[in-house]
Amino acid sequence: MGDEMDRAQGINEDFQAFALDQNLRNREPAIYTGTNCVDCGEEIPEERRKAKPGCRRCLDCQNLHENWSAL
Ligand SMILES: [Zn+2]
């Protein structure tokens, strides 16, 4: 019985740490002003930055990102 409680507690703490981590990760600046992709660090082409002000990813990473978040 005691073990059961401890395990449930542990899972809960893991989940909270995970949720907090996700929360921090998702907190990105509203407008990204850097010139490099936040994922791969490659410079984002100027025409892309002009076309999409505040974009944080190069085209490749943006595609990957959108595919992943669609799952
Ligand atoms: Zn990239």
Side-chain angles (χ1 to χ4, degrees):
M1 292 290 263
D3 284 356
E4 201 82 358
M5 290 280 281
D6 286 350
R7 211 180 313 146
Q9 188 85 34
I11 288 166
N12 196 29
E13 278 168 12
D14 283 353
F15 177 75
Q16 281 180 353
F18 172 77
L20 193 67
D21 195 47
Q22 288 291 301
N23 200 21
L24 290 175
R25 271 172 215 267
N26 288 337
R27 203 182 303 150
E28 293 172 350
I31 300 277
Y32 179 67
T33 53
T35 56
N36 291 68
C37 173
V38 292
D39 281 355
C40 69
E42 289 286 321
E43 190 172 355
I44 302 167
E46 192 179 356
E47 57 265 37
R48 172 160 165 75
R49 281 187 278 123
K50 278 187 181 152
K52 288 196 80 178
C55 71
R56 298 182 295 263
R57 291 177 178 87
C58 68
L59 208 53
D60 286 350
C61 292
Q62 185 63 43
N63 285 337
L64 274 175
H65 180 74
E66 281 170 12
N67 286 343
W68 278 105
S69 32
L71 283 175

